[in-house]
Amino acid sequence: MPLKFPLRIRFFTHSLPGTHLSYNPSSSVPLLFRIFSSRLNYFEFGSRINFSTRPNRDLPEFERRIRDGGEIRASKSLIEDEEELSNWVSGFRTGSSRGRITNEGEDAGPNVEDRSRGRIQEKRGIRNQVDSFRDKRYGGSKNRDREASFDGRKETSFRRDRDREDYKGLRKREDRRLEDESSDEDVKSLVMGGIGDLLSEDDEEEDEDYEFLKKKAVSAFGFDKEKVTEADKARNANDSYLTKTRFDQYPLSPLSLKAIKDAGYETMTVVQEATLPIILKGKDVLAKAKTGTGKTVAFLLPSIEVVVKSPPTSPDNKRPPILALVICPTRELANQAATEANTLLKYHPSIGVQVVIGGTRLGLEQKLMQTNPCQILVATPGRLKDHIENTPGFATRLKGVKVLVLDEADHLLDMGFRKDIERIISAVPKERQTFLFSATVPEEVRQICLVALRRDHEFVNCVHEGTIETHQQVKQMHMIASLDRHFSLVYTLLRQHIVDNVDYKVIVFCTTAMVTKLVADLLGELNLNVREIHSRKPQSYRTRVSNEFRKSKGLILVTSDVSARGVDYPDVTLVVQVGLPKDREQYIHRLGRTGRKGKEGEGLLLLAPWEEYFLSSLKDLPITKSPLPSIDPETVKKVQKALCHVEMRNKEAAYQAWLGYYNSQKMIGRDKDRLVELANEFSRSMGLDNPPAIPKLILGKMGLKNVPGLRAK
Ligand SMILES: Nc1ncnc2c1ncn2[C@@H]1O[C@H](COP(=O)(O)OP(=O)(O)OP(=O)(O)O)[C@@H](O)[C@H]1O
């Protein structure tokens, strides 16, 4: 069948490294975009392209020996009494897994065909759900029927799949979701099957279409990657995040401009310059820009403009509208966005900002919202949903939303949050502007992004094809060492870093909240100046530590993934990631806590030999192998002694959490015998002769009943 190319694609390559893609909703064949939208984006922006150039880097500084007499700041960690270990694995189901870390070769096994068929069906199920959601947003069934005539074969197969599958796979996965009111529980992601899991395998039929469309697009619109200008390339090579464009070159309110000046922002960052004109025109935007390059201001500033331009609400209105709604995946991030909003609102005293986040008293938030109603609301998804369902009049206030922002959009639209986000989107008007921002927009999530955006949205990509998603000025290294050496290594590396950097400021990422606690305890015992943040800490503590770390130097923050995204701690000198990151995106976001605003930084990923496969997902990034520093026997003894002082119950909790995390990692969790061997290796690395016993119920929920090597109680 002759296929007319359906889209009118417009490429801008202005003076920025931001590229925009739009398509015309009135074009005659929109179905293909609906089906292949992600494919089109894929070849345009090439987020998965392997780059051949890897900078030659000097050997890492880590191998240098610790200098005698180096200053080690001694202070106890600020550890507070923690609530009893809750049954965090409740709701855990056997075989749940994250799919981002896949290795097709290793995936092959006797049931590979069945598994792959199942995945394709699930994948279609997801698409169907996207369709149905989009139908709600666009009144799509009419369009769909019209579109169906262009590709009857595909539409029929979609319907058949829809009937057959009835979203079974999806429902099962959503059921697995932990119903914790905290929206940023790191454990949540451990038990979720990710959407990447469902969309990661290619459907051959579509690949052909994709190839066809790719050729068509290039020939019809003259697009090819060389359209990236020399100026763009130069800017990317320098990794400069600032442009020469001033804020006052755009029609912004003078009071906002005054606040911007006070904040010390002289010119726009790349992502601000690339998105502002489009947003001011009233368009929806999906924007991708590197970590620490000012995305928060990029979405807040135009949101504030919308509020400024809205007619004032009558003081008699008992349910004044919320005009701008910003959703962030973590509480820290929500607080940070609200702080930035207040900075920009310095001279707009009549515009109020409020934050609603998990871990605080719902009643208190309700009271605050009642006594001092805001026009801009920053929220985490779980708590926002709570308010929609339980706060009288709140749903009515949301009907006034003119701007919806999803910060860390790819994360919010991934399986862990999607149900809440869908609920939230259905509570705000269809007639609104929507901004989706993130440093990573993986291929498989991009399609889901469309559920929130209008059809004529623009994709602004500030990370061009041919450039890397991380910062050039951040030196990335990885080390491979057996588990029994990890604690000593981390201690040695941190000491060395402290000696080399008077103003050191380090973040150590661990796999789970309980492993984070263990590592923080240990480093505290070793007299390093440590703080910890994870989902098991009370919110007041988290906020206090976060604020302290933001302002401090000479401090190590040991944290779970609650600090992985968005949090803007200035001048972080080193990011250490111990153990497998959840996926490639999480690695990039964690690393992005250093090298912000063009500053230098270092990143180190410490893996065990059996975790080395993860590096294949980073092969386009300039990460180099670092030799292991020598660890003197005295250090080993010191670490062992310190481990003896760590409370037994913390070791038990860490063991259980470790087992849960790696059980959910597809590559490791599928061989239960091996998983248990590794977990017991981890247990020995904590100085335990016998692995801690785990309640039978939890073992059952993990699918680990009767696996040799485990102790049940
Ligand atoms: N135009 C500007 N000039 C100078 N600094 C700016 C400008 N805009 C924002 N900043 C500052 O840059 C820092 C990083 O911004 P922000 O936290 O928004 O980055 P981000 O791109 O959202 O990062 P991430 O991807 O990690 O969330 C902040 O300290 C912010 O105040």
Side-chain angles (χ1 to χ4, degrees):
M1 178 178 75
L3 201 57
K4 276 188 280 172
F5 195 76
L7 317 169
R8 195 186 68 191
I9 299 182
R10 191 149 55 89
F11 293 102
F12 301 79
T13 310
H14 50 89
S15 60
L16 306 171
T19 307
H20 315 268
L21 166 64
S22 73
Y23 75 102
N24 183 357
S26 61
S27 74
S28 55
V29 200
L31 173 69
L32 284 165
F33 187 86
R34 216 184 65 216
I35 299 172
F36 299 113
S37 54
S38 57
R39 298 295 191 193
L40 285 165
N41 286 332
Y42 182 89
F43 70 78
E44 150 60 337
F45 300 106
S47 60
R48 285 285 188 280
I49 292 206
N50 298 332
F51 307 114
S52 55
T53 47
R54 247 185 217 205
N56 281 330
R57 288 171 183 275
D58 298 335
L59 274 181
E61 284 144 19
F62 285 130
E63 62 183 287
R64 274 189 270 131
R65 288 183 157 271
I66 295 170
R67 276 182 247 141
D68 285 340
E71 182 203 0
I72 310 278
R73 289 185 199 204
S75 131
K76 273 301 250 178
S77 96
L78 246 189
I79 295 165
E80 291 179 346
D81 269 357
E82 180 63 340
E83 72 255 39
E84 281 302 302
L85 236 194
S86 66
N87 205 359
W88 67 266
V89 285
S90 63
F92 199 105
R93 300 281 191 282
T94 311
S96 60
S97 61
R98 294 282 316 173
R100 303 284 311 121
I101 306 160
T102 58
N103 176 327
E104 301 308 331
E106 291 196 43
D107 207 17
N111 294 327
V112 74
E113 211 177 296
D114 285 353
R115 225 173 23 237
S116 125
R117 203 178 304 128
R119 287 240 188 95
I120 289 168
Q121 284 169 351
E122 278 180 305
K123 186 163 137 182
R124 286 176 179 153
I126 289 236
R127 289 208 180 110
N128 294 340
Q129 207 185 47
V130 173
D131 285 346
S132 93
F133 194 82
R134 206 176 300 152
D135 284 354
K136 277 186 221 150
R137 178 137 167 74
Y138 305 123
S141 60
K142 227 186 192 175
N143 278 345
R144 177 108 50 88
D145 289 347
R146 193 153 26 92
E147 291 159 2
S149 63
F150 288 99
D151 194 342
R153 179 175 52 95
K154 190 159 284 283
E155 183 67 0
T156 313
S157 98
F158 265 43
R159 286 205 181 119
R160 202 176 46 228
D161 291 338
R162 189 175 312 169
D163 294 344
R164 198 191 303 143
E165 289 305 306
D166 196 25
Y167 310 145
K168 262 192 217 154
L170 264 174
R171 280 213 207 103
K172 261 192 208 152
R173 278 181 164 70
E174 296 287 36
D175 286 348
R176 284 176 199 151
R177 201 168 167 280
L178 289 178
E179 290 303 332
D180 193 311
E181 58 115 43
S182 143
S183 64
D184 53 3
E185 283 282 359
D186 55 347
V187 288
K188 213 183 264 185
S189 60
L190 311 183
V191 298
M192 292 295 311
I195 199 162
D197 201 6
L198 308 176
L199 300 181
S200 60
E201 288 188 11
D202 284 336
D203 180 328
E204 268 177 32
E205 188 182 65
E206 285 184 11
D207 276 346
E208 283 168 24
D209 292 334
Y210 161 61
E211 282 305 320
F212 174 79
L213 283 174
K214 182 170 149 181
K215 279 186 203 133
K216 269 282 191 193
V218 173
S219 62
F221 301 100
F223 165 74
D224 64 54
K225 52 190 168 188
E226 294 313 316
K227 289 248 161 156
V228 177
T229 65
E230 287 307 316
D232 290 343
K233 282 183 194 162
R235 190 193 293 279
N236 274 301
N238 293 336
D239 215 16
S240 164
Y241 79 107
L242 281 173
T243 69
K244 293 204 166 99
T245 309
R246 296 186 321 275
F247 287 94
D248 62 10
Q249 289 174 248
Y250 287 97
L252 297 168
S253 105
L255 295 177
S256 297
L257 289 171
K258 210 171 158 199
I260 288 167
K261 204 171 166 203
D262 283 6
Y265 306 155
E266 285 171 11
T267 59
M268 290 184 171
T269 67
V270 169
V271 64
Q272 289 159 5
E273 193 202 44
T275 51
L276 192 68
I278 300 167
I279 294 177
L280 289 178
K281 269 193 241 154
K283 286 214 162 189
D284 285 3
V285 159
L286 165 62
K288 175 178 168 182
K290 289 185 189 181
T291 51
T293 56
K295 291 188 283 294
T296 318
V297 171
F299 61 69
L300 281 178
L301 199 53
S303 304
I304 290 170
E305 285 309 297
V306 170
V307 178
V308 170
K309 287 184 184 130
S310 299
T313 321
S314 150
D316 302 332
N317 189 344
K318 291 226 164 62
R319 287 168 184 177
I322 288 162
L323 299 170
L325 177 62
V326 179
I327 320 269
C328 303
T330 65
R331 302 163 187 178
E332 279 75 15
L333 203 42
N335 279 329
Q336 187 179 291
T339 306
E340 186 80 85
N342 277 319
T343 305
L344 299 175
L345 288 168
K346 185 173 175 186
Y347 299 104
H348 292 290
S350 60
I351 301 177
V353 183
Q354 257 159 26
V355 188
V356 293
I357 51 177
T360 54
R361 286 195 354 247
L362 192 77
L364 195 71
E365 284 179 353
Q366 287 172 330
K367 222 178 224 167
L368 276 172
M369 280 199 282
Q370 220 168 25
T371 49
N372 195 13
C374 63
Q375 294 94 329
I376 300 173
L377 188 72
V378 186
T380 51
R383 180 52 67 94
L384 184 66
K385 196 172 135 251
D386 249 15
H387 280 293
I388 294 173
E389 287 162 5
N390 301 312
T391 302
F394 186 76
T396 312
R397 294 192 61 201
L398 282 186
K399 294 282 172 237
V401 166
K402 291 183 174 176
V403 173
L404 173 70
V405 180
L406 302 190
D407 190 13
E408 308 296 339
D410 57 327
H411 191 36
L412 288 175
L413 289 164
D414 203 344
M415 290 299 257
F417 287 112
R418 228 183 62 224
K419 228 174 157 187
D420 289 347
I421 296 295
E422 287 180 0
R423 174 77 187 87
I424 292 160
I425 290 178
S426 68
V428 297
K430 281 181 192 165
E431 280 310 310
R432 61 165 198 269
Q433 242 187 310
T434 308
F435 316 141
L436 270 51
F437 278 74
S438 186
T440 52
V441 187
E443 158 70 2
E444 60 273 14
V445 176
R446 201 170 298 163
Q447 189 168 2
I448 304 294
C449 287
L450 301 180
V451 301
L453 295 164
R454 281 182 294 204
R455 286 176 172 247
D456 65 345
H457 72 274
E458 294 204 10
F459 176 32
V460 179
N461 187 359
C462 299
V463 189
H464 268 308
E465 184 177 321
T467 61
I468 53 168
E469 286 172 285
T470 52
H471 290 289
Q472 303 273 6
Q473 78 277 9
V474 175
K475 188 182 228 177
Q476 298 175 56
M477 289 160 283
H478 68 83
M479 282 184 190
I480 308 294
S482 55
L483 266 184
D484 61 335
R485 283 192 286 174
H486 278 203
F487 293 132
S488 301
L489 260 174
V490 170
Y491 176 56
T492 304
L493 295 168
L494 289 175
R495 279 187 59 197
Q496 182 169 332
H497 185 78
I498 292 167
V499 170
D500 292 345
N501 299 270
V502 184
D503 288 331
Y504 73 92
K505 187 163 174 177
V506 181
I507 305 184
V508 179
F509 282 102
C510 302
T511 46
T512 76
M514 284 304 150
V515 174
T516 301
K517 176 153 189 54
L518 176 97
V519 173
D521 282 2
L522 172 67
L523 297 178
E525 286 292 341
L526 287 162
N527 285 331
L528 296 185
N529 197 13
V530 185
R531 303 289 183 272
E532 66 181 302
I533 291 187
H534 50 77
S535 56
R536 298 278 146 183
K537 282 288 183 195
Q539 189 49 43
S540 55
Y541 177 93
R542 278 167 61 170
T543 306
R544 179 154 47 85
V545 169
S546 180
N547 289 338
E548 184 192 4
F549 190 68
R550 184 168 286 115
K551 290 180 207 140
S552 305
K553 284 186 174 159
L555 205 52
I556 297 166
L557 179 69
V558 186
T559 180
S560 65
D561 275 340
V562 296
S563 310
R565 284 177 175 250
V567 200
D568 186 42
Y569 296 126
D571 305 317
V572 170
T573 50
L574 170 68
V575 167
V576 182
Q577 306 190 37
V578 185
L580 209 59
K582 209 161 47 145
D583 50 35
R584 167 195 161 85
E585 282 70 37
Q586 206 71 345
Y587 169 83
I588 291 173
H589 285 276
R590 284 162 154 199
L591 182 79
R593 297 318 98 207
T594 186
R596 299 177 78 75
K597 294 177 75 174
K599 298 244 170 83
E600 303 223 317
E602 282 180 314
L604 174 75
L605 174 63
L606 177 58
L607 298 175
W610 42 270
E611 292 171 309
E612 205 173 342
Y613 71 89
F614 177 74
L615 295 173
S616 67
S617 68
L618 308 180
K619 60 180 180 245
D620 57 320
L621 302 180
I623 179 167
T624 52
K625 185 166 186 169
S626 170
L628 297 177
S630 55
I631 308 171
D632 63 79
E634 278 311 304
T635 302
V636 175
K637 264 192 216 151
K638 200 172 164 187
V639 171
Q640 280 168 353
K641 202 169 156 200
L643 273 166
C644 292
H645 292 136
V646 173
E647 272 188 60
M648 190 57 187
R649 65 177 190 142
N650 293 344
K651 289 181 189 167
E652 286 169 359
Y655 171 75
Q656 192 169 297
W658 194 100
L659 193 60
Y661 177 73
Y662 283 97
N663 190 30
S664 74
Q665 296 298 316
K666 189 168 19 181
M667 294 289 288
I668 295 160
R670 65 178 172 216
D671 181 345
K672 305 297 180 204
D673 291 339
R674 177 82 180 119
L675 168 74
V676 170
E677 272 173 31
L678 296 172
N680 293 351
E681 202 177 312
F682 176 69
S683 164
R684 283 192 294 279
S685 78
M686 292 188 287
L688 301 179
D689 294 332
N690 288 313
I694 297 179
K696 276 186 192 140
L697 184 71
I698 292 177
L699 285 179
K701 284 181 174 176
M702 285 184 183
L704 295 175
K705 249 187 195 163
N706 303 326
V707 179
L710 283 176
R711 290 178 53 226
K713 62 178 177 191

